[in-house]
Amino acid sequence: MKDIINMARRILLGVLLAVAITSCTQNDGYIGPIFGKWQLTEMWKGQTMTPHDSIYYNFQTSIIQLQLIHRQGISNISESFYGNYEKENGELRFSIVEPSSYPAVLPEVFSLKPMGIDNVNVFHIETLNSSKMVLTRGEDERFVFRKF
């Protein structure tokens, strides 16, 4: 009887472990590997690379959140911009709506330009896997992200 109880415990533990592992994946099965939070690490304009560490793209179902972190001394200011996106045929398209708490023209410090975007964007997806995303725009703009 003890052996049957121990075997039942092992089977139950195995089932629970399998459920826990599969429920923690980053891919929700609908939008694929783009799902989640990405940190911009490099922005290329022609042959010139600018390193970044304070710009994040967050993808959920059809919503994108762009987050810009400003470091001021020991504190950070975080600004978020939201929009809708579509990913199809190797392209990523999204439009950004400016936050309603700011006037129609954002102050220079909160400009979307440092993120490499305007209000409407079309990027070619050069690389997209579980840890790296590379987007290009035109012939000389390249944006390299890491999964955060």
Side-chain angles (χ1 to χ4, degrees):
M1 184 70 170
K2 260 186 179 179
D3 291 335
I4 294 174
I5 292 173
N6 284 336
M7 188 169 63
R9 284 183 182 164
R10 287 182 189 151
I11 292 172
L12 182 60
L13 181 62
V15 169
L16 289 175
L17 184 60
V19 169
I21 289 172
T22 58
S23 67
C24 294
T25 61
Q26 293 181 352
N27 182 348
D28 70 351
Y30 173 65
I31 59 175
I34 200 167
F35 177 79
K37 187 170 191 171
W38 295 86
Q39 180 184 33
L40 180 64
T41 57
E42 299 175 2
M43 194 162 72
W44 292 81
K45 182 80 171 180
Q47 297 299 316
T48 305
M49 188 274 288
T50 305
H52 284 277
D53 67 353
S54 59
I55 297 172
Y56 301 88
Y57 285 30
N58 301 288
F59 296 93
Q60 302 294 325
T61 54
S62 65
I63 306 294
I64 183 172
Q65 174 199 25
L66 303 178
Q67 188 177 21
L68 177 60
I69 309 287
H70 297 281
R71 291 178 177 85
Q72 294 184 346
I74 59 171
S75 64
N76 293 333
I77 297 174
S78 176
E79 285 300 313
S80 295
F81 305 89
Y82 298 90
N84 295 316
Y85 78 93
E86 294 178 355
K87 179 183 148 288
E88 62 184 17
N89 299 326
E91 287 188 343
L92 175 65
R93 295 181 193 89
F94 59 86
S95 58
I96 299 301
V97 178
E98 296 174 356
S100 59
S101 61
Y102 291 101
V105 177
L106 292 173
E108 182 70 24
V109 69
F110 296 127
S111 171
L112 297 175
K113 295 290 184 189
M115 293 187 196
I117 63 169
D118 300 315
N119 282 5
V120 177
N121 294 277
V122 177
F123 291 96
H124 172 73
I125 301 171
E126 182 179 297
T127 303
L128 178 59
N129 58 44
S130 62
S131 62
K132 184 176 183 178
M133 177 171 65
V134 179
L135 303 176
T136 59
R137 185 171 58 182
E139 294 181 14
D140 62 345
E141 290 183 295
R142 191 168 188 253
F143 305 89
V144 180
F145 296 83
R146 73 175 182 101
K147 190 70 155 221
F148 190 76

